[in-house]
Amino acid sequence: MRKIEHLGIAVRDLQKSNDLFKRLLGTAHYKTESVESEGVKTSFFQVGDTKIELLEATRTESPIAKFIEKKAEGIHHIAFDVEDIYTEMDRMKAEGFEILNDIPKEGADNKLVVFLHPKSTNGVLVELCQEKPKLH
Ligand SMILES: CC[C@H](C(=O)O)C(=O)SCCNC(=O)CCNC(=O)[C@H](O)C(C)(C)COP(=O)(O)OP(=O)(O)OC[C@H]1O[C@@H](n2cnc3c(N)ncnc32)[C@H](O)[C@@H]1OP(=O)(O)O
Ligand SMILES: [Co+2]
């Protein structure tokens, strides 16, 4: 793991939370992006060498909708930046962590991502992110 890539925060209303985090952080979000496969709309704030990712559900069966319904708005996951996601997946399996997707999937912000089940990571949903190579 190279660094914390982002902290994912589940919110009900992305626009309202964008305004709140702009006031909190003193900087506006640098992008919004929908990831239909995850049923989320996201916005990203740069904070030093890491980011805040706000996530609003775009459909009721989205993990974000379920999380907010069951718990509340708040910290949803922690994402780590990795050099090579396949190497890290092998290491996670060898260490006995439960990987939720067999192959990396499309993430936001030009990433390949996998998730580890929170029951194997002390109750914290963990996301591994690898920057996708830039096409020239
Ligand atoms: C990829 C785009 C973007 C990016 O950064 O690029 C994202 O980050 S998208 C983020 C949204 N997508 C995901 O979260 C995908 C991974 N999540 C899942 O597959 C599910 O949410 C899962 C498996 C973690 C839970 O789904 P399930 O249907 O099992 O929901 P339950 O409510 O029944 O939960 C079971 C159990 O897990 C606990 N739980 C659920 N979510 C979290 C969480 N975020 N953090 C910690 N714990 C969580 C939940 O409380 C249940 O525990 P229990 O003790 O059984 O009550
Ligand atoms: Co994320």
Side-chain angles (χ1 to χ4, degrees):
M1 314 285 206
R2 294 195 297 194
K3 67 172 186 171
I4 293 175
E5 209 290 323
H6 62 264
L7 201 54
I9 298 176
V11 299
R12 293 183 195 283
D13 181 325
L14 195 60
Q15 183 52 52
K16 260 169 66 183
S17 294
N18 279 344
D19 296 343
L20 188 152
F21 275 81
K22 179 179 177 187
R23 286 188 296 113
L24 178 71
L25 302 173
T27 180
H29 61 284
Y30 65 86
K31 76 184 304 186
T32 56
E33 183 179 349
S34 290
V35 183
E36 265 323 293
S37 55
E38 293 295 321
V40 295
K41 187 175 177 191
T42 66
S43 59
F44 283 89
F45 295 77
Q46 191 73 37
V47 185
D49 76 345
T50 192
K51 300 165 190 168
I52 295 286
E53 174 190 51
L54 302 182
L55 305 112
E56 177 187 339
T58 55
R59 51 178 190 266
T60 50
E61 70 280 12
S62 156
I64 295 301
K66 202 164 178 184
F67 178 84
I68 291 177
E69 189 194 324
K70 186 161 188 177
K71 296 175 185 253
E73 291 183 301
I75 294 178
H76 178 260
H77 62 275
I78 184 165
F80 295 98
D81 173 60
V82 298
E83 177 95 33
D84 181 286
I85 200 157
Y86 292 97
T87 305
E88 282 303 307
M89 287 172 75
D90 291 343
R91 192 173 73 80
M92 292 295 124
K93 281 179 200 151
E95 292 286 351
F97 294 106
E98 183 183 337
I99 298 182
L100 286 166
N101 38 300
D102 294 335
I103 52 169
K105 52 186 177 180
E106 287 294 317
D109 216 24
N110 194 48
K111 298 281 184 308
L112 285 177
V113 304
V114 293
F115 288 88
L116 306 183
H117 199 291
K119 71 182 177 209
S120 65
T121 51
N122 232 149
V124 177
L125 178 61
V126 169
E127 178 183 357
L128 306 182
C129 301
Q130 179 192 319
E131 182 86 30
K132 279 195 281 189
K134 295 245 187 312
L135 298 175
H136 297 295

